């Protein structure tokens, strides 16, 4: 298959996720403690392949499954991962000193792909996932105090669990975030946690941002609520005296997704900032 087609495959895969409302490269955490890994080599896939696969776990090629005596479950579909293959070519050039025509070897990276199957779609092969990786981050006292004090005072349900989601549920008044060890840094964990906790202040028993809480994805009210949560998160990171540089890229990339709305409504950022300040004070 031509390399240009592989680029289109990758593009189509990302567009598919975007049309679902997901930004696959936005999450600052890994799908699980180990992410997506090759069953045979035990090496994690690249960042690009992590979100092309879209699910953590162990993956094998058809040939690897055959060699290990396994079989693919009926109806299972493969996914693809990409890699660069260096192709060598010989180019004739004029030697700068002698003026003679000589051959020069050149290497050019060409994008290729191969198909893999998730282990859950395979019979006859046991998982080799080991014990969870020890947490590489230490809790940050100032940030931890804000989180715990707010949760206890408001009797908010707060779950920190191995997952691929971070969210606030208004109906159950519950915040769910991935484990600390799933994040690249402790600062990103607290930035994400603060974002979801600011959402929870919109509950009718708190700051009562009812319309924003039930707004449809992509609507103006939804945009305002998302900006409110992200600005509030940045404020709380500052209050906690976190290393803002480790949170800032995440905030910038998040807000960057709403630039078109900010350009269309010059009141949006002002309103969101006011709501964020009220939420943080609460």
């Amino acid at each position: 298959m031509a390399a240009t087609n592989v680029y289109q495959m990758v593009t189509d895969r990302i567009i598919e996720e975007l049309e679902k409302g997901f930004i696959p490269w936005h999450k600052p955490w890994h799908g699980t403690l180990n992410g997506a890994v090759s069953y045979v080599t035990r090496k994690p896939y690249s960042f690009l392949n992590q979100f092309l696969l879209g699910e953590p776990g162990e993956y094998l090629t058809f040939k690897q499954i055959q060699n290990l005596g396994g079989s693919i479950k009926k109806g299972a579909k493969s996914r693809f991962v990409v890699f660069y293959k260096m192709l060598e070519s010989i180019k004739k050039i004029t030697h700068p000193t002698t003026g003679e025509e000589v051959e020069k070897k050149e290497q050019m990276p060409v994008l290729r792909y191969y198909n893999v199957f998730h282990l859950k779609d395979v019979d006859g092969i046991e998982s080799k996932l080991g014990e969870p990786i020890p947490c590489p981050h230490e809790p940050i006292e100032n940030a931890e105090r804000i989180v715990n004090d707010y949760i206890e005072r408001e009797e908010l349900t707060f779950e920190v669990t191995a997952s691929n989601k971070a969210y606030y549920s208004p109906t159950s008044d519950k915040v769910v975030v991935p484990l600390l060890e799933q994040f690249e840094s402790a600062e990103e964990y607290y930035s994400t946690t603060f974002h979801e906790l600011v959402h929870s202040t919109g509950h009718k028993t708190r700051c009562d941002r009812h319309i924003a809480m039930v707004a449809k994805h992509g609507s103006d009210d939804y945009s305002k609520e998302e900006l409110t949560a992200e600005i509030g998160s940045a404020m709380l990171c500052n209050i906690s005296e976190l290393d803002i540089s480790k949170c800032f890229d995440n905030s910038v990339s998040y807000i960057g997704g709403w630039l078109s709305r900010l350009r269309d409504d010059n009141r949006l950022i002002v309103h969101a900032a006011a709501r964020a300040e009220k939420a943080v004070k609460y």
Side-chain angles (χ1 to χ4, degrees):
M1 173 173 284
T4 52
N5 287 343
V6 183
Y7 283 106
Q8 189 60 51
M9 287 170 63
V10 174
T11 302
D12 290 344
R13 178 74 179 88
I14 301 308
I15 289 174
E16 180 185 335
E17 290 301 299
L18 290 171
E19 288 177 340
K20 293 177 184 176
F22 302 126
I23 304 175
W25 57 84
H26 168 250
K27 297 173 187 173
W29 62 87
H30 303 290
T32 64
L33 299 181
N34 296 315
V37 300
S38 165
Y39 182 87
V40 174
T41 68
R42 311 312 297 167
K43 293 181 179 179
Y45 288 100
S46 68
F47 178 70
L48 174 61
N49 284 325
Q50 290 283 343
F51 65 74
L52 286 178
L53 292 170
E55 184 179 357
E58 299 160 291
Y59 289 84
L60 306 92
T61 65
F62 177 74
K63 186 175 181 180
Q64 288 170 342
I65 294 170
Q66 282 189 319
N67 290 342
L68 292 170
S71 61
I72 299 167
K73 294 179 180 178
K74 186 176 180 180
K77 293 183 179 180
S78 66
R79 313 175 199 196
F80 72 91
V81 291
V82 295
F83 66 98
Y84 280 103
K85 183 176 182 179
M86 301 303 294
L87 295 185
E88 190 174 273
S89 63
I90 297 177
K91 183 179 180 181
K92 291 186 177 181
I93 62 169
T94 301
H95 195 280
T97 304
T98 65
E100 295 180 356
E101 190 177 73
V102 295
E103 293 183 344
K104 180 183 178 182
K105 290 184 179 180
E106 291 186 341
Q107 287 191 328
M108 181 178 66
V110 179
L111 194 65
R112 293 286 187 257
Y113 81 98
Y114 59 91
N115 292 316
V116 291
F117 291 86
H118 194 287
L119 188 61
K120 71 178 183 181
D121 294 321
V122 177
D123 286 324
I125 300 176
E126 295 295 323
S127 171
K128 295 195 294 185
L129 288 179
E131 293 297 316
I133 299 172
C135 182
H137 316 304
E138 290 293 330
I140 299 174
E141 185 177 349
N142 290 345
E144 197 74 5
R145 186 184 302 114
I146 291 175
V147 172
N148 291 334
D149 287 351
Y150 174 74
I151 291 167
E152 291 174 11
R153 188 189 79 204
E154 296 301 314
E155 298 181 345
L156 178 74
T157 302
F158 182 66
E159 291 182 7
V160 181
T161 181
S163 67
N164 199 32
K165 295 179 180 179
Y167 63 91
Y168 167 66
S169 169
T171 53
S172 58
D173 198 25
K174 177 173 71 173
V175 164
V176 176
V177 294
L179 298 169
L180 175 60
E181 53 262 47
Q182 289 181 250
F183 290 79
E184 292 293 338
S185 69
E187 287 81 0
E188 287 183 326
Y189 164 79
Y190 289 108
S191 175
T192 298
T193 299
F194 286 151
H195 177 100
E196 301 307 331
L197 292 180
V198 170
H199 274 316
S200 74
T201 66
H203 193 273
K204 61 183 179 181
T205 63
R206 299 181 185 112
C207 297
D208 193 14
R209 298 190 302 275
H210 173 68
I211 295 177
M213 290 289 95
V214 296
K216 183 181 290 187
H217 187 283
S219 67
D220 287 342
D221 286 321
Y222 179 88
S223 300
K224 289 177 183 177
E225 177 60 19
E226 286 303 306
L227 280 173
T228 296
E230 196 59 16
I231 294 169
S233 171
M235 290 178 179
L236 288 167
C237 285
N238 185 56
I239 292 170
S240 303
E241 299 180 338
L242 300 186
D243 183 350
I244 300 299
S245 65
K246 295 182 180 179
C247 309
F248 188 67
D249 288 342
N250 183 35
S251 297
V252 168
S253 65
Y254 197 94
I255 292 175
W258 305 101
L259 279 177
S260 61
R261 294 196 176 276
L262 293 175
R263 293 189 182 106
D264 292 339
D265 182 0
N266 59 12
R267 296 175 298 178
L268 179 57
I269 192 71
V270 176
H271 289 173
R275 291 180 179 185
E277 187 169 359
K278 183 178 179 181
V280 169
K281 286 180 179 178
Y282 185 87

